[in-house]
Amino acid sequence: CNEGQSLIVKNKIKKLEDLRESKKVGLKNLGSQYALITNLKPEFNQSDGYFIVKLPLIIEEEWNEK
């Protein structure tokens, strides 16, 4: 999957007052949802104070090609 075939979301990381440890359930769920329908995998990164999510677009030909 190249850059033109992904949705990229970039958010500035903010320190929260509530310092509870994240269990990253949302990220695991997103990865699991992708795994149900395709071999493509979302990417999650932190860089230069930003949290970056790269979601591969699922093209009809790739649907259920697991």
Side-chain angles (χ1 to χ4, degrees), residues 1-8 54-59:
C1 183
N2 64 38
E3 288 291 321
Q5 295 176 316
S6 296
L7 171 67
I8 299 173
K54 182 177 177 183
L55 300 173
L57 298 179
I58 301 170
I59 299 169

Side-chain angles (χ1 to χ4, degrees), residues 11-41:
N11 289 312
K12 190 162 186 69
I13 296 173
K14 299 179 200 173
K15 295 283 183 184
L16 298 176
E17 295 286 324
D18 186 353
L19 299 177
R20 288 182 287 184
E21 184 72 26
S22 172
K23 298 196 181 3
K24 301 186 186 319
V25 174
L27 301 180
K28 291 176 188 173
N29 185 36
L30 188 55
S32 296
Q33 295 296 316
Y34 263 80
L36 287 173
I37 58 175
T38 184
N39 288 329
L40 301 173
K41 296 181 182 192

